[in-house]
Amino acid sequence: MKTLASELAYFLRGRARQNLKVLVLYGIFLLTLILAYATLFRFLMWNLEGREYSFIAGIYWVITVMTTLGFGDITFQSDPGYIFAAIVTISGMIFLLIILPFGLISLFLAPWIEQRLRYHPTYELPPQTRGHILIFGIDPITRAFIQKLKARDLLFVVVTANYEQALHLEEQEGFKVVYGSATDARVLTGLRVAAARYVIANLSDPENTNICLTIRSLCQTPIVALVDDPEHADLLRLAGAHQVIPLTRILGRYLATRSTTRGALAHVLDSFGSLQIAEIPVHGTPFAGQTLKEAQIRQKTGLSVIGLWERGTFTIPSGDSLLGEHALVMFAGTRAQLSALEKFTGEAAEDELIFILGHGRIGCAAATFLDRRPIPYILVDHHESPTCQEHVVVLGDATGRHTLKKAGIDRASGVIVTTNDDSTNIFLTLTSRHLHPHIRIVARANNEENVEQLYTAGADFVVSNASVGANILMNLLEHKASAFLAEGVAVFRRPLPAALAGKTIEQSRLRPLTGCSIVALDPPDGSETLVSPPPETRLVSGTTLLLIGGPEQEALFDQIYG
Ligand code: ADP
Ligand code: ZN
């Protein structure tokens, strides 16, 4: 049934779809011709032979004559009548028996057969295949992940049970594709799953569970599953997934984190042992407008500033970097140090109220996150959520002229734009910026292409589902210390390079040389991790460094100290 549907779908795409339009127009032409002949038939029968036939009988006569069936039960008995019948027969042959089949064959059948003959899907991988990454389920997240795999020259295989998709992915996008059902043990064996490096399960939760169970009956290859409903995470783990990524919850948290200024502890993005990584919008803090040196954050709190986000660009700051109103600062430190920071940010007592536009799974996760702080918010959605009974929603179309004004957006300090449609998100970003020039706007981009447009529309921060998802997958694949950090940034471990032993962190010039920052040190004697070590800390041989940086910085580190 599925195969038949995918075959039929062929006729609804691309060129075939255009051809279908031609066919419909031709059908209309034939119908008009038949109706015109039927009218003429009745007219001639009455005027030439004095016989009266119904319109239905007229259509019946035209069809039997045009298809050259000619039962002979209704016939003309006069010369003009014979001539008319001959014309109808000949036009029937031309339009019905020659042009129509010819058109059907050349426009549909031939291209379809040609495609079948040309494309032979792969059903299994060569037996010696190993170290490959199997990807089940293609969407913007796995597409962005594949871009990263390609950049690193890693072998990946996309598995799909949809013939059309297999053809498209292979021929249009140049992916290596295997055609087959993800839950069929024979297909999995043919995919050399036992020798694979990783399996990414990105289908629906039940399908992912099924994949995990089938793979676990065959081998122990690590499986990363992306879960739609965080409550299914345990089930997936039980089924054998190594890692379960509750992406909707993570995205909700990212959006919520970046929409509010209150409470440094509310902004922890990820923690790694006692090391916490947090991001705080500069807006509303006493640091706004100061340079990093003037802000004296380390002196006051002990935290290290490890990065600055400004309209989607991540930079490693220097002392002269300006902490602009719209920037986000990324810190590394302990909980106690973050609490110390809270004293500063808390002083900017600005009554916060966040608007969340869209109460889908991600909007709901953002609301849940704010609930726990607690930070007040107002949710706006078209309709009640079918799955969430917890949150009160202001019902209305957020793009409507008065909905946001009436709901009180004037009082809001931040807005989270999180519908599943990027055009709507762009529109809502523009509207919110227009209604409220100073509001903090955090927007979600469902497709990578729209990130720039959302910034142009006035968003202060854009969270791209695809790049967050792809980064998490990549960090897990590369065994980074921290999987859930923001886009393009990861925490990674390296043994202290011999060249740096005995120097202080400042003398090592690690940051100016590589762009990486040391966020923590694991001393050689196994004693407690030293979080956010000050610049005068001396590096002793045998120490393990916990560093933070983007992929280029990490590569630079390995190149210099390899
Ligand atoms: P996800 O679960 O990924 O967050 P959903 O499609 O479930 O995505 O959520 C999008 C939500 O946004 C839906 O609840 C939808 O009703 C809501 N939404 C979309 N457009 C508008 C709009 N113009 N005004 C209000 N709510 C909207
Ligand atoms: Zn909810």
Side-chain angles (χ1 to χ4, degrees), residues 437-448:
H438 301 296
I439 204 165
R440 263 197 81 69
I441 303 176
V442 186
R444 141 186 176 193
N446 299 287
N447 283 308
E448 201 62 24

Side-chain angles (χ1 to χ4, degrees), residues 118-193:
R118 195 168 37 99
Y119 177 64
H120 301 284
T122 313
Y123 295 98
E124 60 174 17
L125 298 172
Q128 68 276 13
T129 314
R130 50 193 59 257
H132 51 304
I133 294 149
L134 291 171
I135 299 170
F136 297 93
I138 275 285
D139 65 359
I141 297 164
T142 33
R143 276 212 165 78
F145 177 58
I146 285 174
Q147 291 313 321
K148 290 176 182 289
L149 295 177
K150 277 186 169 168
R152 289 165 174 76
D153 255 341
L154 293 171
L155 180 63
F156 66 89
V157 180
V158 178
V159 189
T160 173
N162 179 327
Y163 182 90
E164 278 301 310
Q165 192 180 46
L167 175 98
H168 176 84
L169 293 175
E170 193 142 4
E171 301 221 323
Q172 313 285 321
E173 305 197 36
F175 296 170
K176 175 102 200 105
V177 179
V178 166
Y179 174 53
S181 162
T183 48
D184 183 337
R186 272 173 313 170
V187 173
L188 287 167
T189 314
L191 285 165
R192 316 296 161 202
V193 67

Side-chain angles (χ1 to χ4, degrees), residues 19 25 37 95 122 140 179 241 254 292 310 343 380 455 467 502 521 534-535 544-545:
N19 293 345
L25 285 177
Y37 278 155
F95 292 122
T122 313
Y179 174 53
Y254 277 11
L292 199 54
E310 193 117 45
K343 293 207 188 78
V380 181
Y455 276 119
S467 78
L521 297 174
T544 304
L545 306 178

Side-chain angles (χ1 to χ4, degrees), residues 359-361 363-365 367-368 377 379 385 387-393:
H359 182 219
R361 290 159 308 162
C364 186
T368 307
Y377 58 84
L379 267 166
S385 157
T387 48
C388 166
Q389 270 88 49
E390 235 168 272
H391 301 128
V392 184
V393 179

Side-chain angles (χ1 to χ4, degrees), residues 248 357-363 380-383 396-400 418-421 424 428 444 446 465:
T248 46
L357 312 182
H359 182 219
R361 290 159 308 162
I362 298 177
V380 181
D381 200 299
H382 275 312
H383 29 68
D397 182 351
T399 58
T418 171
T419 80
N420 55 340
D421 177 56
T424 307
L428 289 174
R444 141 186 176 193
N446 299 287
N465 296 5

Side-chain angles (χ1 to χ4, degrees), residues 488-511:
V489 196
V491 174
F492 52 96
R493 282 168 176 284
R494 289 290 183 278
L496 179 73
L500 301 183
K503 294 188 175 168
T504 65
I505 292 182
E506 198 168 15
Q507 286 163 349
S508 77
R509 298 188 31 83
L510 204 71
R511 201 191 271 209

